[in-house]
Every structure is written in structure tokens, then in C-alpha cells.
Amino acid sequence: MLQLAIQDYEGRSQTIPLNDGEFSIGRDDSNSICLTEQNVSRRHARLVAKGGRVYIENVAATYGTR
């Protein structure tokens, strides 16, 4: 199973399992993956997990997605 590992600036980390599907990332509570860092836009990016691969797309990130 694919997993997304996230670590914030304070060193806290979390791991999110990624089953096949689509995941929205951003600060807004309506996202499937909600991040609290100030350099994350409300609707930042979109992940698509399919067949053991993950694709990321910048949605409306002020600071970009990499």
C-alpha cells in the first residue's frame, strides 16, 4: 500500500495511507488531507493514486507545488 509521509516545520510527522483514488490537499477543512502550515494554500494540490503510482497536480498554490 502506498503511504504519504508528512512532516511539519516543528518535526511532527504523520503517515496517510493512499488507496487508489483522488485526494485534495490544503489548509481548508474540506480537503481530504488538511495541512496547517501558513505556506499551504486553502486548496493547494491534488493527488491521484492509481495502480501503485501517485500523481500530483498544483491546483491553486500561491507558493507552488514540488
Side-chain angles (χ1 to χ4, degrees):
M1 175 191 302
L2 295 170
Q3 297 181 333
L4 174 65
I6 300 170
Q7 184 173 7
D8 67 15
Y9 287 122
E10 295 177 3
R12 293 178 298 223
S13 61
Q14 62 177 318
T15 303
I16 300 169
L18 296 178
N19 299 319
D20 279 0
E22 200 171 295
F23 304 87
S24 58
I25 299 174
R27 279 188 295 124
D28 192 88
D29 290 337
S30 66
N31 290 290
S32 4
I33 301 170
C34 195
L35 303 175
T36 58
E37 299 293 330
Q38 290 302 310
N39 62 346
V40 175
S41 297
R42 287 180 183 84
R43 302 249 333 128
H44 196 93
R46 179 174 76 105
L47 289 178
V48 177
K50 184 175 181 180
R53 294 179 181 252
V54 177
Y55 305 91
I56 190 164
E57 174 186 11
N58 185 34
V59 175
T62 302
Y63 298 105
T65 302
R66 52 186 170 127

